Amino acid sequence: QPAPITDMRAIMPAFFIKSAIFLRQSVNAVQIESVSEITDEDFKCFKRSVLLPTPSKGLSEAIGIKGKRTLLKRGVFAKNAIRHPDLSPEDSRIIIGNALYSPDRYGKNRPVSKPNYWVAIKSSANSSVVVIEVSETKDYVEIVGWRYANERNLAQLEKQAQREGGQFLILFPE
């Protein structure tokens, strides 16, 4: 059994390895039971990946998650910190918690270019938006990114979805 990957640069050669078993074994994530257990250090130092619980029942059923837990890789922590430097660790916990565990809308905003990507949204003045990848071939649902979005940003997401033939749907409270 290969050792867990500890350096992000080591992932690049894995791209050429056809064995999905290697890729599954390379995830070295800490299992946690709540978004509140993601530490400030996770958002700032990118030293660990975390496995969160399965998203809300309504979202899970709507997009076919099938009980899979949610993986947030340390590389995604780093990417999101670069793309959204204005988000504090507390903002990030709020966004992830709201969008994954109490969403009121969901959809595919890029069904052609990113067919496995879904957007989960908790609407408010500053809506919480999380992009997740749901794939039959992966053991986990993977968080790809998160951010706040105002009404203009949400309208842009919906227009992008319409251009690619996707849509956003309403989730009713559980």
Side-chain angles (χ1 to χ4, degrees):
Q1 178 172 343
I5 294 176
T6 57
D7 183 356
M8 291 303 292
R9 291 172 293 217
I11 291 175
M12 296 310 288
F15 177 78
F16 300 103
I17 297 173
K18 294 182 181 178
S19 170
I21 294 168
F22 173 82
L23 294 175
R24 272 191 231 112
Q25 291 174 343
S26 68
V27 176
N28 185 16
V30 175
Q31 187 167 314
I32 59 177
E33 297 308 315
S34 168
V35 173
S36 64
E37 294 178 46
I38 304 173
T39 66
D40 287 3
E41 186 174 285
D42 292 328
F43 290 106
K44 294 176 181 178
C45 299
F46 328 120
K47 292 187 179 194
R48 69 177 187 164
S49 298
V50 296
L51 261 180
L52 291 159
T54 302
S56 74
K57 182 180 177 188
L59 182 64
S60 295
E61 289 175 357
I63 65 176
I65 290 175
K66 300 177 184 169
K68 293 179 181 180
R69 291 183 66 99
T70 306
L71 177 63
L72 180 47
K73 293 180 179 178
R74 65 189 186 144
V76 175
F77 280 120
K79 180 189 83 164
N80 217 74
I82 291 166
R83 291 193 177 167
H84 304 286
D86 54 315
L87 294 178
S88 70
E90 187 57 28
D91 287 333
S92 294
R93 281 188 285 271
I94 289 168
I95 293 167
I96 294 167
N98 284 342
L100 286 184
Y101 301 104
S102 60
D104 52 24
R105 296 196 297 185
Y106 71 98
K108 282 190 172 188
N109 72 316
R110 300 175 83 183
V112 174
S113 59
K114 306 263 184 183
N116 292 333
Y117 282 27
W118 291 86
V119 180
I121 301 167
K122 176 65 173 182
S123 301
S124 67
N126 236 1
S127 296
S128 298
V129 177
V130 173
V131 179
I132 56 176
E133 181 180 6
V134 180
S135 173
E136 291 287 328
T137 61
K138 293 188 178 185
D139 293 334
Y140 309 106
V141 172
E142 294 185 18
I143 295 177
V144 177
W146 61 92
R147 65 185 174 112
Y148 283 125
N150 58 30
E151 283 303 315
R152 191 177 120 248
N153 300 136
L154 291 177
Q156 288 172 336
L157 286 173
E158 289 180 15
K159 281 182 186 177
Q160 182 179 28
Q162 289 173 349
R163 278 195 304 270
E164 287 200 27
Q167 62 181 336
F168 282 85
L169 301 168
I170 296 171
L171 273 173
F172 293 100
E174 295 175 18

